[in-house]
Amino acid sequence: MTSTIRPLKKKKVRQENEKIILDAAEKVFSEAGYGGATMQLIADVAGLPKANLHYYFPTKESLYRQVVQNIFNVWLVAAEVFDSATGPAEGLGAYIDAKMEISRRHPAGSKVWASEVMHRAPIIHDYLETALVDWTNDRIKVMQGWVEAGLMDPIDPRHLLYMIWATTQHYADFNHQIETLNHAQPLSDKQWQAAKRNIKRIILKGIGVPESELSRL
Amino acid sequence: MTSTIRPLKKKKVRQENEKIILDAAEKVFSEAGYGGATMQLIADVAGLPKANLHYYFPTKESLYRQVVQNIFNVWLVAAEVFDSATGPAEGLGAYIDAKMEISRRHPAGSKVWASEVMHRAPIIHDYLETALVDWTNDRIKVMQGWVEAGLMDPIDPRHLLYMIWATTQHYADFNHQIETLNHAQPLSDKQWQAAKRNIKRIILKGIGVPESELSRL
DNA sequence: CATCATCCTGACCATATGGTCAGGATAACA
DNA sequence: TGTTATCCTGACCATATGGTCAGGATGATG
């Protein structure tokens, strides 16, 4: 019974503990910020002694860096829906849906990312300058192609992209404000659907997608 | 010559020093977060000894609270343009312009606000529940009126408002990311104008403002 | 000029924090 | 079973931080 597991036992322990620590760290960093978070609090949330964190992650900064990198990967995966699309209604619509889903399921990650960028990205500076720049330029070209094909109005794709990022991430980063304005209640399933529908409708109609294609939202 | 000033000299000193400290604090809080900011660093930026800060502001938290309240007032003033408007094109257009101008001139304040809300508004909780809720409900009624008057599509005003907040504040909160994506350069005058124009066009067209009214952007 | 309130600050303190380490426990493996 | 690599942790340390305070400077007031 243990024969197949035994050789992996130790490796599994490492894998599991790193996950526990990273989850706790993401939560604490998102709630307190990098400076406000303490290794002791992360340890308490993880249910481990503080020294154990330092066994897996030598410094607070290395732990934080790993958290941010994980989030960036989530972004990238979500963006894949963008690529297989044939036009703005499909591509941007799916992208907005995917980002809203992340904001709903993964708000802590979004907050850590926002906090990092707001503070001039001291830790992931290089990521922004390479991976993000490349990714962005690629999508801008795609959207530029849509403009030239007459599939959308001659909008500057850059500002369109910022608007999508801003709006979708707002539902994660400012979820406390949104809940406060919703009678102190989290958004219900219906309200999340309504949010997605409103956002997609305004943006897609705003860039010139014909009304006939909007009905499917 | 000094006769008119003399009786105010001491009061003026207080006023000036409080302003110097608050400006320094806003800058440092926005760059480091509440937990990452130190009274020593704020003192250095202000060019005053640390003990002097504690003379005017007894605790770090009281200083921070004052910074956040000042920002909230800036928001409120900017929102006044909303009210004198006769319809969405004029009202929302002016509101977007005003908020973009704040994002450009006052990014540090926006970041402090964002950080505070992201961390569940521990300091200004009561503000959100009273002032912000009241303000928001009032504007929603105005927009609801516009919908009923047929001046805009039947959009949920709440999500429209969030979209405007998110997009305009994004240019302050994520200015580092935007600059990184702009060849490490701050946006020029022209680029700021283009940003405003793109945002207003997408949102206003997206909610059904007729093309004829968009040409004036 | 004398008195008083306000303003200012170097030196100091208690506490909290990131990080270390020696030594012990556990499991893989020969 | 003995050896080795990995895992675990209580106790400890150096440093940084928010905050205090006694005493001095400055300007208002009468």
Side-chain angles (χ1 to χ4, degrees), chain A residues 27 110 114 128 145 153 165 168 184 204 206 212-213:
Chain A
K27 187 168 190 289
S110 182
L128 288 191
D153 291 348
W165 288 346
T168 54
L204 294 180
S212 61
E213 290 193 55

Side-chain angles (χ1 to χ4, degrees), chain A residues 6 9-10 37-40 50-51 54 59-60:
Chain A
R6 211 185 296 152
K9 190 88 170 275
K10 270 295 164 69
T38 69
M39 294 297 274
Q40 186 59 61
K50 188 182 67 151
H54 281 101
T59 65
K60 183 185 181 183

